[in-house]
Amino acid sequence: MTDLFPETVLTDRLRLERIDTDDADALDLYEHWREGAPNVEATTEYVTWEPYDHPHGVAETLSRTAERTENREGATYLLRPREGDPGAGEIAGTTGLFMDWDCRVGGLGVWIRKPFWGRGYSGERADAVLKLAFDRLDLELVRVSHLPENENSERAITKYVERHGGRRAGRFRNRVDFQNGTIHDTVEYSVSQAEWREADGAEAEVEFRD
Amino acid sequence: MFPAIIETERLRLEPRTPEYVDTFEVYEHCNRDAPHIDEITEYLPWEPHSTPNETAEFLERGAAARDEREGIDYVIRPREGEQGAGEIAGFGGLTFDWDTDSAELGTWLRKPFWGRGYSGERALALAELAFEQLDLAVVTVTHEAGNEQSARAIEKYIDRMGGRREGTLRNFHAGDPPVDAVRYSVTQAEYRDADPDQEGTFLDSDGESWP
């Protein structure tokens, strides 16, 4: 049986590898997710989770991630630049697709290490995940949100949502609570499958490998 | 932690629990053959009840949610002097999301009671409870996209409380097909600033002043 979520996704410059609980991944990610890791304060400023104080915590997160994939509730991928891009083969970040089958919706998430900011990786990764969501999983809608004060995400998201024909829904108050107990508004966006098909973004070169 | 009775100028609200409301009295208004039931439930997240057992479960869920502090729903009855005084006009309440310091309003009214401004009167009383007594930061409300009647009623009372329309969330409710929703919110600061000219009376189960 073919998995709903492909093991590997290739774009022009990125390789997405599905996380299937692997202690090696946990130790690799801990390097970037631990307290005191380079730029970890900047890269986790607007995410729901806090830097980790032990690789065990990362392993637990990965094992929950793998369980989610097994239950067909979503998938998380490691992002690695492909041959030819600076830092090829390194972990540049992670990205997730979280399913709400009853609403026929997928939610996007992404985390990227600071040395890889500004390369348009988030948009390229979004092209790939949208193709996965619409072409392969036949979802009706993909949604994504950022905190109102996160201008980097706002720029990146606005750009790819527009490219794919989607729209900004608005700012929603007291919409999420973070692991550290803080409560935040969100700015939300969505792209429908019909909008995506109409827009040129659907033409992005993406390869799925099972 | 919650008042048993809420009174406004024209309405009396009592807990949606088996203690306060009779199963068959509710079933009469929400069964599949109840007058205008399809029109009433067109934009609501529930289907008409097929058996009184569903109605009994509906009331039990109301009691359980209150016990668990997940939500408080009230049966709405017009007070003395109103047409249909003492009848069930509908239901209205708050669903809590304590993690985000917010509560969501929800309501439905039987058709004979539409157009009287009951929804706004009920909303203002529940918002007063949410902000003044429960100290929540935000009160939200959604209606299904396309429900013009709810949009009108909600815009009116949200405006009175100083809140705003936030936007449309597509595929918000599960279903076949899934349904879009329009969301509105009011913050405690906006509510205090707007100072809506309505005060509810809150009573405990003995009819004494609450809290």
Side-chain angles (χ1 to χ4, degrees):
Chain A
M1 194 182 86
T2 312
D3 288 343
L4 286 186
F5 306 101
E7 244 177 58
T8 308
V9 181
L10 294 170
T11 67
D12 183 33
R13 297 179 297 162
L14 294 172
R15 180 185 178 84
L16 282 63
E17 292 172 4
R18 198 181 67 201
I19 292 175
D20 296 312
T21 214
D22 176 343
D23 290 343
D25 286 345
L27 287 171
D28 286 349
L29 273 169
Y30 182 67
E31 276 304 297
H32 308 299
W33 284 359
R34 69 183 163 82
E35 284 173 4
N39 302 308
V40 74
E41 295 305 326
T43 60
T44 59
E45 187 177 358
Y46 302 114
V47 301
T48 59
W49 47 278
E50 296 284 298
Y52 291 81
D53 55 14
H54 202 280
H56 174 64
V58 178
E60 282 193 326
T61 296
L62 297 189
S63 113
R64 275 196 302 275
T65 295
E67 199 181 311
R68 207 161 40 226
T69 304
E70 211 157 282
N71 297 335
R72 298 186 293 278
E73 293 162 352
T76 301
Y77 291 84
L78 295 176
L79 298 174
R80 298 185 195 272
R82 295 179 68 180
E83 213 53 51
D85 259 34
E90 280 186 45
I91 292 178
T94 59
T95 188
L97 177 65
F98 307 95
M99 316 304 294
D100 182 345
W101 293 109
D102 291 336
C103 289
R104 303 176 196 166
V105 171
L108 298 183
V110 73
W111 168 85
I112 294 179
R113 282 174 57 208
K114 203 165 178 189
F116 299 94
W117 288 8
R119 295 191 187 180
Y121 279 180
S122 175
E124 191 164 323
R125 168 276 332 182
D127 294 351
V129 181
L130 283 166
K131 192 152 193 156
L132 168 60
F134 293 134
D135 249 1
R136 180 154 162 146
L137 302 177
D138 198 23
L139 292 174
E140 278 185 16
L141 196 79
V142 166
R143 67 174 167 229
V144 58
S145 63
H146 62 76
L147 297 200
E149 55 274 27
N150 185 352
E151 290 172 9
N152 284 337
S153 281
E154 179 170 23
R155 262 195 308 279
I157 290 171
T158 301
K159 208 164 155 183
Y160 74 71
V161 164
E162 272 177 16
R163 188 167 72 245
H164 291 290
R167 61 177 82 149
R168 183 184 188 277
R171 176 173 176 158
F172 299 86
R173 300 194 286 190
N174 284 46
R175 186 90 159 118
V176 290
D177 61 297
F178 281 8
Q179 199 182 319
N180 64 9
T182 56
I183 298 168
H184 302 271
D185 297 355
T186 59
V187 181
E188 304 201 16
Y189 305 75
S190 60
V191 183
S192 73
Q193 184 178 143
E195 288 161 354
W196 177 81
R197 293 204 179 279
E198 286 250 324
D200 286 344
E203 304 304 315
E205 283 292 326
V206 179
E207 185 189 337
F208 300 132
R209 287 191 190 162
D210 292 304
Chain B
M1 200 170 113
F2 308 113
I5 313 295
I6 302 174
E7 283 184 342
T8 63
E9 191 192 336
R10 298 178 296 165
L11 303 173
R12 180 179 167 91
L13 278 59
E14 296 174 348
R16 171 196 147 192
T17 64
E19 195 185 336
Y20 281 92
V21 55
D22 183 72
T23 298
F24 290 101
E25 191 191 356
V26 177
Y27 184 65
E28 189 186 332
H29 302 302
C30 63
N31 75 77
R32 283 176 303 178
D33 299 317
H36 310 290
I37 193 67
D38 293 330
E39 199 178 343
I40 292 166
T41 57
E42 182 180 358
Y43 297 109
L44 296 180
W46 53 274
E47 298 292 319
H49 295 185
S50 305
T51 65
N53 185 48
E54 283 181 35
T55 308
E57 285 171 352
F58 164 76
L59 296 178
E60 280 171 3
R61 282 198 308 276
R66 179 172 283 260
D67 278 350
E68 303 290 324
R69 293 185 289 279
E70 290 167 359
I72 43 173
D73 205 17
Y74 292 87
V75 58
I76 301 169
R77 299 181 194 271
R79 292 176 68 182
E80 214 52 47
E82 287 289 295
Q83 212 170 15
E87 282 185 43
I88 293 178
F91 289 83
L94 292 167
T95 304
F96 302 112
D97 186 351
W98 300 106
D99 289 339
T100 59
D101 204 6
S102 66
E104 184 180 356
L105 289 164
T107 194
W108 68 274
L109 290 171
R110 288 173 53 210
K111 196 170 175 188
F113 300 96
W114 290 4
R116 298 190 188 180
Y118 283 179
S119 173
E121 196 164 317
R122 167 257 0 161
L124 284 166
L126 290 170
E128 182 185 344
L129 170 63
F131 291 129
E132 305 282 359
Q133 268 83 35
L134 303 178
D135 198 26
L136 289 165
V138 169
V139 167
T140 66
V141 57
T142 63
H143 64 75
E144 282 196 10
N147 184 354
E148 298 300 331
Q149 194 164 298
S150 280
R152 268 196 305 278
I154 290 172
E155 268 161 27
K156 206 161 155 186
Y157 72 69
I158 285 288
D159 197 51
R160 226 176 125 190
M161 293 195 259
R164 60 172 84 146
R165 181 183 191 279
E166 296 182 321
T168 300
L169 293 159
R170 298 195 283 182
N171 288 45
F172 187 71
H173 296 293
D176 190 13
V179 179
D180 299 350
V182 183
R183 189 180 193 257
Y184 304 75
S185 64
V186 191
T187 66
Q188 190 179 120
E190 286 165 352
Y191 173 85
R192 290 186 190 281
D193 230 33
D195 193 16
D197 181 26
Q198 180 187 303
E199 227 167 273
T201 303
F202 302 102
L203 305 171
D204 66 20
S205 53
D206 299 321
E208 302 291 327
S209 176
W210 178 95

